[in-house]
Amino acid sequence: MEREKVVYFLTGLKRFTFKTLVVVAVASSICFIFFRDILRILLLAADIKVYYFAIQEVFFSSIELAIYSGVFFSFPLIVFLLWHEFRGVTGLRPYESCLFIVSSVALFYVGSIFCYNIVLRSGIKFLLGYEGNNLKAMISVERFISFSSAMIFAFGITFEMPVALLALNKKGMLKAQTLTKKRRYAILVITIAAAVITPTPDVYNMMLLAVPAYMLYEIGILLMKMNERKDRSRG
């Protein structure tokens, strides 16, 4: 039985990986055509100018941004493919599956948009505050794309916390009581993670991630308690 589960998981993972690569490749190819427009949207949030310091830098940067954008825009389909391949072991009802897909996608984009509209501009403004008469920033387009894309994805993934906690709870791998007892440690971990992820050392920008992350942690606990209560009523 265990061997069958392992084979089922590995086979599903293989199919999921292949389909995801195809989807991302197609989406990235389309995004490559609109590279300049996507870069312009990113620069609007940062309100800066970028430069290139090597002949090939713009070309490779356009590929990098196209891949990031391809993953970003195809995220709903990636989540659907993940559910489709492993729906047999999730134990979710149809409406629960729908809620899982919708909430996962919505939380990812909420986190990404929050980063784009608030954190990215605030963080870059802080870092450029060191400029002076004899010190001017000339930001590489490649560095800017890597920095801003990593930030947006970090916030998008962080906002998936309630869904991840609920999924672990439904599989019996995590209890709400455990997270409630470990709340102080969770605060510490969230604070450290926020300090690492955010681009600046100031408390303000760190709290822009730490506070929403902790709120999502509490929402996750609440959802887990509701799920456990529902399971007890069924039993």
Side-chain angles (χ1 to χ4, degrees):
M1 183 63 69
E2 289 297 326
R3 184 176 181 277
E4 292 178 358
K5 289 182 179 179
V6 172
V7 172
Y8 173 84
F9 175 79
L10 292 178
T11 304
L13 184 62
K14 181 180 179 180
R15 287 197 300 261
F16 167 73
T17 303
F18 175 75
K19 292 177 182 178
T20 299
L21 289 175
V22 172
V23 168
V24 171
V26 172
S28 299
S29 299
I30 297 172
C31 290
F32 181 79
I33 301 173
F34 300 99
F35 158 72
R36 294 182 183 277
D37 297 312
I38 298 172
L39 180 59
R40 191 178 300 115
I41 292 172
L42 277 179
L43 290 172
L44 281 175
D47 194 23
I48 58 173
K49 290 183 178 180
V50 292
Y51 304 86
Y52 63 95
F53 302 100
I55 296 175
Q56 72 277 13
E57 183 176 348
V58 175
F59 174 71
F60 288 117
S61 297
S62 64
I63 295 176
E64 182 181 2
L65 182 57
I67 294 173
Y68 277 123
S69 303
V71 176
F72 181 83
F73 289 116
S74 59
F75 186 78
L77 189 52
I78 293 173
V79 173
F80 174 79
L81 290 174
L82 180 64
W83 167 81
H84 185 264
E85 290 298 335
F86 298 103
R87 64 188 185 279
V89 296
T90 59
L92 297 176
R93 292 175 171 79
Y95 77 93
E96 290 177 330
S97 298
C98 183
L99 285 175
F100 167 76
I101 295 172
V102 172
S103 58
S104 297
V105 173
L107 286 171
F108 175 79
Y109 285 127
V110 167
S112 301
I113 293 171
F114 175 76
C115 177
Y116 173 82
N117 286 325
I118 298 176
V119 182
L120 200 59
R121 181 186 296 269
S122 175
I124 291 177
K125 183 179 179 181
F126 177 89
L127 293 174
L128 293 180
Y130 292 98
E131 280 190 317
N133 293 331
N134 300 317
L135 187 63
K136 295 294 181 181
M138 294 187 67
I139 303 171
S140 161
V141 61
E142 189 275 331
R143 293 292 180 86
F144 171 73
I145 289 173
S146 298
F147 173 82
S148 56
S149 300
M151 284 290 296
I152 289 172
F153 272 95
F155 271 75
I157 297 301
T158 300
F159 272 57
E160 296 285 349
M161 191 185 303
V163 175
L165 293 178
L166 182 59
L168 292 174
N169 182 252
K170 279 187 169 295
K171 297 302 293 183
M173 300 171 64
L174 193 61
K175 298 294 183 182
Q177 186 178 6
T178 303
L179 294 185
T180 302
K181 291 181 178 180
K182 304 294 184 181
R183 187 176 275 120
R184 66 180 69 181
Y185 300 106
I187 295 173
L188 178 61
V189 171
I190 288 172
T191 303
I192 294 174
V196 173
I197 293 173
T198 49
T200 64
D202 65 303
V203 176
Y204 171 72
N205 281 288
M206 184 185 74
M207 296 306 289
L208 285 176
L209 177 59
V211 172
Y214 179 70
M215 292 174 62
L216 292 167
Y217 178 82
E218 292 293 341
I219 291 173
I221 293 177
L222 179 61
L223 292 174
M224 292 167 71
K225 288 181 178 178
M226 293 171 61
N227 180 62
E228 290 172 3
R229 200 177 300 124
K230 187 188 300 183
D231 289 342
R232 284 195 296 269
S233 64
R234 288 173 184 167

